[in-house]
Amino acid sequence: MSHLLPVVVATPAHSGLGPSLTYEHPHLLPPGTLVRVPLGKREVLGVVWDGAPAEGGADMATRPITEALDALVPLPAAWRQLVGFAARYYQRSLGEVSLAALPPQLRELNGVQLARRLKRAPAAPATHVPPALPELSPEQQDAMVRLDSARQPVLLFGSTGSGKTEIYLRAVQQLLDADPLAQALVMVPEINLTPQLETRFGERFGAAGVVAMHSGMTPPQRLASWLAAHSGAVRIVLGTRMAVFASLPHLRLIVVDEEHDPSYKSQEGARYSARDLAVYLAKQVNDAHSTEATGPAHCRVLLGSATPSLESWHAAESGRYLRLAMPSRIGGGSLPRLRLVDMNHQPRKTLLAQPLLDAITERIARGEQSLLLLNRRGYAPVLACHDCGWKSECAHCSAHRVFHKIDRTLRCHHCGFTERVPRACPACGNLDIAPLGRGTEQIEEHIIERLAGVLRPDGTPAQVARMDADSTRLKGSLEQHLARMHSGEVDVLVGTQMVAKGHDFRRITLVASVNADAALFASDCRAPERLFALLMQAAGRAGRDASLGATSEMWVQTGYPQHPLFAALRQHDYPKFAAQELSDREAAAMPPFAHQALVRADARSQETAQAFLNEAAALATELPGADQVTVFPAVPMTIQRVANVERAQMLLESPSRIALQRFLAAWQPTLLAVRQGPAGKGLVRWAIDVDPLNL
Ligand SMILES: [Zn+2]
Ligand SMILES: [Zn+2]
């Protein structure tokens, strides 16, 4: 007798195939079993799924499963639930999400090859002698006690240098000691930028006790890590966002370090948020183990940040998350004093103000280091008048309209309101209106020129290094830059946001942000939040050495010194900043008080891309949830044309997450039909981005 089984295989996102295909096999394989099945003329990897096979399963066309890879234990239920949820929530096919969540090399192995890999299992880890543990501060002790009894997700709000990493290490240690099988998942935004964390986990638990998971690994390395975690042989996984899909059968702790970091949100394929999925995953594990309604969580989720995302902060304010605060810096180093340079009082077109240059020069002469931060996140340009302060606000909503150079228009990316760029400032008639934050490109060159003549204490010229994505692309060059900075060979480090992350430079006493203004008035409502996080993080780089803490300064060049963001920054007061931002967002009905999705379309012409979106929207007015969802008109994206493809987007907004989800699910078939109809001619691709981070 043979059994019919539902099997999930990698199907394209919009193929129209059902969530699973039906195959037959002599044995009833449990859900989660990996199998190899025929698909067309190919043989592919699949996963036996839960539930009954699809309707009309048993017919002549049903083909047998080629091979069950049953040397491997089935993928756990929590994993299948996570993948199923991610596919539904982010509007992708189950086949795409589930197969993308497995290490690519698994697709190529048959049963014999896989069994061989499994035999190559890591030798039993050598007994590891952990180093002497640092003493916990009273704040850390308190955090550990409260963490222990927490039921809900925990937001660890600890300032830079407050010892959050030690909390992660202790929480993992306690778990491993208490439960001989338990596993922990520790996620970081970008592993290459935080090498210290990997080192500290290795020192504490032994290199054999931790595996890494990130996109920089080779396929065999990824497979080895995945197998070690899936088999339970390794109990700690340290990885980037993709690690949320690791198979951890005994998962009991998830740490999301720097939870506010945008790199937790995928920007391609299923545009998932690993942080949000981590919270969902912990809840699944807990629900499966809920024998009683009270008591500590079975699987804990710990989100750490000095500048939490407003979503997480709001969840803590409303009691859904437990907030643990660690405001003090360990080792006594104080946070640097804020110095604002009012650029309105500097000569026109100044790139680097004289007082700031003097402050850097003094540091070089004293043998101290400086860090200069360039903001190059590429915010959509907003027009401003440099005489009266007018900015291209939208007349219909509390967003700034974006300057589109191609057709010289101002467009609101929120509601779609469009006008031609005015000839002169509408408020004062000044002819000199220009995008905020211009001149970014020249700044770096200019700084290097102006520092050229400055001398070090030994009479040699000052050493300036730049560090950005371009200068660190070569393997090992990031390490080289860091080593030169640590050894004191470099006096001034110039770079983009990546220099603000994680590195522990002890001799930095000056941090300066030279062009932050574009983020203050961006069309994207998250820009101020990111700027604040970046400046706080950068400030944390200065004064790490307690003996130099007193002289540490954070400089910001701005044309808007009265902006409330700087008042909160001066006091290193994130709660104050967050309260203000949240009340602004509530008044404007922006996230987290509204839920958003973007539909993006790429086509040969801008008209085609927009027509596709607008036609699909016109057919959606009667769909379930439509009464609670606002569908705005299609607009060109900020970077409208890439490689001769025109890009457009359409914003959807709802006060109800559930209504938005129902609407999107019901809308998918319409989008598919329009894609295949006349309006889809010339369309290159389309995709839905749920909870988008960039508008
Ligand atoms: Zn003006
Ligand atoms: Zn608007």
Side-chain angles (χ1 to χ4, degrees):
M1 188 191 139
S2 78
H3 298 267
L4 295 178
L5 296 168
V7 174
V8 166
V9 297
T11 45
H14 311 301
S15 65
L17 290 174
S20 66
L21 303 175
T22 302
Y23 289 91
E24 59 176 19
H25 193 68
H27 306 291
L28 190 61
L29 299 169
T33 305
L34 286 170
V35 291
R36 298 196 63 83
V37 293
L39 182 72
K41 291 198 167 92
R42 295 176 302 145
E43 187 187 284
V44 298
L45 182 69
V47 185
V48 177
W49 216 254
D50 305 74
E55 289 283 311
D59 58 33
M60 296 294 284
T62 304
R63 299 164 78 179
I65 286 173
T66 315
E67 184 180 20
L69 305 178
D70 44 13
L72 213 57
V73 292
L75 291 154
W79 183 89
R80 301 194 304 274
Q81 275 160 4
L82 176 74
V83 164
F85 171 79
R88 283 193 308 279
Y89 187 81
Y90 295 105
Q91 308 292 321
R92 307 295 289 202
S93 76
L94 178 60
E96 181 197 9
V97 176
S98 55
L99 274 294
L102 296 171
Q105 219 188 11
L106 210 47
R107 285 174 219 170
E108 293 145 26
L109 302 183
N110 61 30
V112 176
Q113 292 163 319
L114 184 62
R116 212 179 293 143
R117 291 298 162 110
L118 286 167
K119 265 200 211 116
R120 245 187 261 163
T127 324
H128 173 68
V129 184
L133 299 187
E135 203 172 315
L136 294 184
S137 71
E139 280 175 6
Q140 286 175 317
Q141 285 173 17
D142 182 55
M144 286 306 297
V145 171
R146 295 183 60 204
L147 177 64
D148 211 32
S149 56
R151 246 193 107 58
Q152 68 271 59
V154 174
L155 179 62
L156 181 63
F157 169 50
S159 63
T160 321
S162 65
K164 289 190 290 292
T165 307
E166 188 58 33
I167 299 291
Y168 306 154
L169 291 163
R170 298 279 176 123
V172 171
Q173 186 67 61
Q174 275 191 2
L175 181 71
L176 301 195
D177 292 347
D179 177 341
L181 293 176
Q183 292 177 303
L185 168 63
V186 180
M187 287 199 287
V188 292
E190 285 158 86
I191 227 157
N192 295 327
L193 295 181
T194 49
Q196 305 99 309
L197 194 68
E198 213 179 344
T199 311
R200 281 183 72 182
F201 269 83
E203 280 167 5
R204 192 66 63 89
F205 300 104
V210 186
V211 291
M213 265 186 210
H214 57 86
S215 57
M217 296 164 69
T218 64
Q221 286 171 333
R222 267 175 78 178
L223 180 64
S225 288
W226 188 88
L227 288 174
H230 176 69
S231 67
V234 156
R235 298 173 65 195
I236 306 169
V237 170
L238 185 62
T240 52
R241 65 170 181 256
M242 66 157 66
V244 78
F245 290 116
S247 164
L248 294 158
H250 306 289
L251 181 64
R252 294 201 54 189
L253 172 68
I254 311 174
V255 173
V256 184
D257 187 30
E258 306 290 350
E259 67 88 31
H260 63 279
D261 198 295
S263 54
Y264 284 119
K265 180 90 157 75
S266 170
Q267 294 300 328
E268 57 192 23
R271 292 161 190 246
Y272 65 91
S273 157
R275 177 201 59 213
D276 296 351
L277 287 182
V279 173
Y280 173 87
L281 177 58
K283 187 174 180 307
Q284 290 315 297
V285 177
N286 285 329
D287 288 352
H289 284 84
S290 70
T291 44
E292 48 197 307
T294 55
H298 179 80
C299 179
R300 242 171 230 125
V301 60
L302 178 57
L303 312 177
S305 178
T307 50
S309 65
L310 287 180
E311 282 80 2
S312 299
W313 189 258
H314 180 58
E317 292 280 282
S318 60
R320 282 184 288 128
Y321 292 0
L322 172 69
R323 179 168 48 220
L324 304 179
M326 299 201 304
S328 309
R329 252 184 155 189
I330 287 179
S334 54
L335 282 163
R337 204 152 57 95
L338 180 67
R339 304 280 305 262
L340 290 177
V341 182
D342 186 344
M343 296 306 273
N344 299 305
H345 298 158
Q346 296 294 318
R348 256 174 174 261
K349 306 211 155 106
T350 297
L351 293 178
L352 191 64
Q354 191 60 43
L356 174 55
L357 185 65
D358 293 343
I360 297 169
T361 307
E362 277 169 32
R363 258 119 189 137
I364 296 172
R366 287 206 298 263
E368 295 168 11
Q369 293 172 312
S370 302
L371 187 67
L372 300 192
L373 203 56
L374 300 173
N375 201 342
R376 210 189 280 145
R377 214 187 266 283
Y379 287 113
V382 163
L383 280 193
C385 166
H386 291 273
D387 272 5
C388 77
W390 170 86
K391 280 169 224 70
S392 55
E393 273 150 349
C394 177
H396 305 294
C397 40
S398 58
H400 288 92
R401 282 178 300 162
V402 172
F403 171 49
H404 284 259
K405 208 173 180 178
I406 289 186
D407 56 358
R408 294 202 61 81
T409 53
L410 287 175
R411 292 172 185 269
C412 176
H413 280 203
H414 190 248
C415 72
F417 178 54
T418 302
E419 280 182 331
R420 287 197 60 74
V421 169
R423 251 172 234 291
C425 169
C428 74
N430 173 23
L431 290 172
D432 184 20
I433 53 175
L436 265 174
R438 62 182 156 172
T440 316
E441 302 77 20
Q442 312 105 294
I443 290 183
E444 191 170 333
E445 288 304 318
H446 178 80
I447 290 170
I448 290 165
E449 263 171 48
R450 301 226 19 212
L451 291 171
V454 179
L455 298 182
R456 314 172 69 167
D458 63 4
T460 57
Q463 292 296 307
V464 182
R466 35 181 131 180
M467 189 165 115
D468 55 30
D470 286 333
S471 70
T472 56
R473 197 163 290 145
L474 286 173
K475 204 166 163 52
S477 63
L478 176 66
E479 290 75 10
Q480 262 175 36
H481 274 87
L482 296 179
R484 286 183 65 208
M485 191 68 187
H486 281 295
S487 69
E489 200 183 311
V490 167
D491 303 288
V492 181
L493 185 61
V494 184
T496 51
Q497 44 271 17
M498 85 190 302
V499 301
K501 295 204 181 187
H503 309 295
D504 200 356
F505 303 121
R506 304 212 73 90
R507 297 197 57 79
I508 288 182
T509 59
L510 182 146
V511 171
S513 167
V514 295
N515 62 339
D517 284 351
L520 291 176
F521 304 101
S523 71
D524 189 329
C525 75
R526 287 186 177 83
E529 174 185 344
R530 286 190 196 139
L531 176 63
F532 192 86
L534 177 67
L535 295 181
M536 285 286 281
Q537 204 165 33
R541 300 299 117 221
R544 299 282 273 214
D545 193 327
S547 64
L548 298 171
T551 58
S552 290
E553 290 176 341
M554 161 123 218
W555 288 65
V556 179
Q557 299 191 146
T558 177
Y560 306 88
Q562 305 306 323
H563 196 285
L565 184 146
F566 295 124
L569 184 67
R570 186 181 295 286
Q571 293 153 5
H572 307 289
D573 192 346
Y574 176 79
K576 179 178 176 172
F577 169 76
Q580 169 141 19
E581 277 292 303
L582 279 174
S583 91
D584 289 355
R585 298 256 194 110
E586 188 165 20
M590 296 270 190
F593 302 95
H595 304 280
Q596 297 177 327
L598 274 182
V599 193
R600 301 180 201 266
D602 292 358
R604 294 279 160 236
S605 79
Q606 185 60 225
E607 292 69 33
T608 308
Q610 291 192 28
F612 165 76
L613 294 172
N614 289 330
E615 177 160 341
L619 296 170
T621 51
E622 303 294 320
L623 292 178
D627 53 333
Q628 288 187 72
V629 175
T630 309
V631 181
F632 292 103
V635 292
M637 286 179 65
T638 306
I639 301 170
Q640 185 172 330
R641 188 186 299 149
V642 173
N644 279 324
V645 170
E646 286 281 334
R647 314 189 307 160
Q649 65 183 38
M650 174 177 264
L651 178 67
L652 283 69
E653 211 167 61
S654 175
S656 157
R657 194 190 290 279
I658 293 165
L660 181 60
Q661 279 287 316
R662 276 173 52 211
F663 178 85
L664 289 172
W667 197 24
Q668 283 255 21
T670 310
L671 284 157
L672 271 170
V674 176
R675 167 78 176 100
Q676 276 146 18
K681 208 161 174 277
L683 194 75
V684 177
R685 61 183 87 84
W686 65 279
I688 297 178
D689 186 352
V690 180
D691 304 330
L693 283 188
N694 307 299
L695 290 194

